[in-house]
Amino acid sequence: MRLDQRLIADMITPGTRVMDIGSGDGTLIDHLFRTRGCDARGIEIDMEEVTRSVAHGLPVVHGDADHDLAHYPDDSFDYVVLQRTLQAVERPREVLRQMLRIGRYAIVSFPNFGHWEMRLKLLFSGRMPNTAVWHTPWYATPNIHPCTIRDFLALCDEDGYRVHEWMAIDEDGDRAPWRRSIRLANIFGEQALFRLGKGNV
C-alpha cells in the first residue's frame, strides 16, 4: 500500500460503509475488508483495473466521479474516499458536493501544486514542471485542475465544509514537524490529505 492509502485507512472507523472513488486495483478496499471489517466498495474508470479488482473478489464497478455519484442516494456511506484523483476530475467542486451528499465524511488526497519544487521549476524554466508526482507533459496530463493546499482550504471555507483532519506529506513520505503550519505545509508538502464533513457534522 502507498503511504497515503495507509493514512486514509487510519482515518476510517472499523465496521463502517466506505465508497472508494478511483479505487484502482482495489488495494485500499481489500485492506479495509481484511483489517477493519468495513463494507467497502469502489468506482473505477479504468476497465482493466475494474476487471483486476473483480477477479480478486472485490466489489468494484465501472464508472467515474463526474457522472455517477449523482445516482447514489443521500447518506449511503459513512466515508467516501477520493485518492489522488481530485485534480483529474472535470468538476472538482461538484464532486466534493456529491461526496458529502452520499457520505457522512469525505476523505480526499491530492498532489500539492504549491510544493517548493513546482514553484522553483516554474520560476526558473518558465515551463510547466515535471516532477516525480507531476511527470506527464502538459499536453497529455490528466491533471486538468491542479490545486494547492491553500486553494483547497479556501474552497472548503467558501462551501462551508468542516475540516476534521488534515496532513501534508513530504517527498520522503514523512509527516514533517511543520505539518501544523498551513503556510509551511503548502510549501513543503508534496501531497495533502483531508477528512471533511458538512458544516454541521
Side-chain angles (χ1 to χ4, degrees):
M1 289 181 71
R2 300 190 314 259
L3 174 66
D4 63 311
Q5 291 175 320
R6 292 198 301 271
L7 294 171
I8 287 169
D10 289 344
M11 288 182 171
I12 293 174
T13 303
T16 51
R17 301 164 299 162
V18 182
M19 167 62 77
D20 184 10
I21 303 167
S23 55
D25 63 1
T27 297
L28 179 61
I29 294 172
D30 182 59
H31 177 78
L32 293 172
F33 268 141
R34 290 185 298 100
T35 68
R36 304 185 80 78
C38 291
D39 176 7
R41 58 199 64 203
I43 297 178
E44 173 56 47
I45 198 168
D46 185 333
M47 197 61 204
E48 289 186 7
E49 296 281 34
V50 174
T51 302
R52 188 175 296 115
S53 298
V54 172
H56 287 91
L58 301 173
V60 175
V61 298
H62 185 247
D64 71 85
D66 283 302
H67 302 104
D68 293 322
L69 297 185
H71 302 309
Y72 288 87
D74 294 357
D75 303 315
S76 298
F77 303 97
D78 299 299
Y79 298 89
V80 181
V81 177
L82 186 70
Q83 46 174 316
R84 288 185 168 185
T85 307
L86 182 69
Q87 74 285 351
V89 300
E90 294 175 9
R91 300 172 298 157
R93 188 177 201 170
E94 175 62 14
V95 167
L96 284 173
R97 188 185 74 80
Q98 290 288 350
M99 289 174 69
L100 283 167
R101 179 186 66 79
I102 68 173
R104 180 178 175 87
Y105 300 108
I107 298 178
V108 182
S109 69
F110 58 90
N112 173 33
F113 200 74
H115 185 253
W116 67 268
E117 188 177 7
M118 304 291 288
R119 300 180 190 217
L120 284 181
K121 288 189 174 183
L122 187 59
L123 175 65
F124 289 111
S125 73
R127 300 180 61 184
M128 288 299 290
N130 279 337
T131 68
V133 175
W134 302 88
H135 52 78
T136 310
W138 67 269
Y139 50 81
T141 181
N143 299 314
I144 57 176
H145 291 295
C147 73
T148 70
I149 291 172
R150 292 183 70 180
D151 285 329
F152 187 78
L153 284 168
L155 176 61
C156 291
D157 184 60
E158 187 174 338
D159 287 356
Y161 301 142
R162 180 179 175 187
V163 178
H164 290 272
E165 296 179 70
W166 73 274
M167 64 186 71
I169 309 165
D170 66 19
E171 55 264 38
D172 298 318
D174 296 323
R175 288 179 286 175
W178 39 256
R179 67 185 181 272
R180 294 187 181 277
S181 165
I182 296 292
R183 184 175 63 85
L184 292 178
N186 199 45
I187 296 171
F188 295 109
E190 190 171 49
Q191 296 181 61
L193 178 58
F194 286 81
R195 179 169 67 89
L196 309 176
K198 304 179 188 75
N200 58 348
V201 175

